[in-house]
């Protein structure tokens, strides 16, 4: 039994700032090397610490990639849901969704890259079912907006909405492979240029 005046040992909680730093490092490693090839030791080496010390913050690399992806998707859907609830016209909704997408790439570039490469593999595990759910929700939001635009004659009547959705989806999110925060153009400026090409084309009208 402890002596009457003996102090109990204090249990320290990892600082949130340090946890966020480690997740950012892990995200870059996962994005660069892939989930399967990334080990806890590799992340710890990149963070400048022992692998055992990393377990003080996270119980596995699975926990790390789970938190990285869920944080990204939670923020993405906060932005998307706001856009979809705003009552905008179809074109304005597409413009707002594209702009929000580039903002998320700016904030979570590595997480977007991981999501693009790994979601199908990870989604086979019950823990990551939310990745498949997000894909279904994502497709419904975009297809619904495109179909609404065709019905309202804001978009061409002959538009293949599913092909257009795939084109827009892939060309937006692939930007995570080359975009770097703090570059020459802001995410909003990139979105404007992108939207000009997608909605108005690149040929001079005669």
């Amino acid at each position: 039994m402890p002596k009457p005046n003996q102090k109990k040992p204090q249990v320290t909680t990892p600082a949130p700032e340090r946890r966020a730093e480690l997740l950012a490092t892990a995200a870059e490693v996962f994005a660069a090397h892939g989930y399967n090839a990334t080990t806890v030791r590799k992340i710890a080496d990149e963070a400048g610490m022992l692998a055992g010390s990393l377990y003080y913050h996270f119980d596995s690399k699975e926990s790390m990639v789970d938190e990285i992806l869920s944080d990204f998707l939670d923020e993405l859907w906060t932005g998307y849901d706001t856009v979809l609830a705003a009552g905008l016209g179809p074109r304005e909704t597409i413009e707002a969704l594209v702009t929000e997408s580039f903002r998320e790439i700016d904030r979570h570039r590595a997480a977007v890259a991981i999501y693009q490469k790994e979601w199908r593999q990870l989604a086979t595990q019950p823990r990551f079912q939310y990745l498949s759910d997000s894909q279904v929700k994502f497709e419904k939001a975009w297809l619904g907006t495109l179909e609404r635009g065709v019905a309202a004659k804001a978009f061409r009547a002959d538009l293949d909405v599913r092909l257009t959705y795939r084109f827009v989806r892939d060309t937006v999110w692939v930007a995570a492979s080359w975009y770097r925060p703090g570059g020459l153009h802001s995410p909003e400026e990139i979105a404007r240029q992108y939207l000009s090409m997608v909605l108005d084309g690149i040929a001079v009208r005669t």
Side-chain angles (χ1 to χ4, degrees), residues 106-142:
D106 181 63
R107 297 181 190 119
H108 299 284
R109 184 199 60 79
V112 173
I114 297 165
Y115 184 80
Q116 292 288 91
K117 295 176 185 176
E118 311 287 355
W119 83 265
R120 286 182 178 83
Q121 174 197 341
L122 291 171
T124 61
Q125 304 176 42
R127 178 173 189 164
F128 294 97
Q129 176 61 41
Y130 65 87
L131 298 178
S132 294
D133 295 341
S134 183
Q135 277 290 316
V136 171
K137 187 178 177 182
F138 190 84
E139 182 173 315
K140 182 178 179 181
W142 283 86

Side-chain angles (χ1 to χ4, degrees), residues 5 13 33 35 37 48 52 56 84-85 106 134 140 166-167 172 187 199:
N5 295 323
T13 301
H33 301 284
Y35 178 73
Y56 177 61
L84 295 169
D106 181 63
S134 183
K140 182 178 179 181
R166 289 172 177 165
F167 170 76
V172 167
L199 296 174

Side-chain angles (χ1 to χ4, degrees), residues 169-182:
R169 176 196 65 191
D170 293 349
T171 49
V172 167
W173 294 110
V174 77
S177 66
W178 55 260
Y179 180 82
R180 293 297 179 272

Side-chain angles (χ1 to χ4, degrees), residues 25-83:
T25 298
E28 293 294 340
V29 178
F30 284 128
H33 301 284
Y35 178 73
N36 286 337
T38 297
T39 62
V40 171
R41 180 178 294 279
K42 187 174 289 187
I43 296 170
D45 288 346
E46 195 67 27
M49 63 195 302
L50 297 173
S53 299
L54 192 58
Y55 283 112
Y56 177 61
H57 301 270
F58 305 97
D59 62 13
S60 64
K61 72 171 187 177
E62 185 183 60
S63 293
M64 284 183 271
V65 79
D66 185 6
E67 191 163 338
I68 290 164
L69 292 176
S70 59
D71 285 352
F72 154 59
L73 288 174
D74 285 348
E75 187 172 309
L76 174 71
W77 280 109
T78 295
Y80 268 28
D81 287 341
T82 298
V83 169

Side-chain angles (χ1 to χ4, degrees), residues 188-201:
E188 291 79 12
E189 289 168 344
I190 294 173
R192 280 196 295 272
Q193 287 289 328
Y194 176 85
L195 285 162
S196 175
M197 291 183 284
V198 169
L199 296 174
D200 301 319

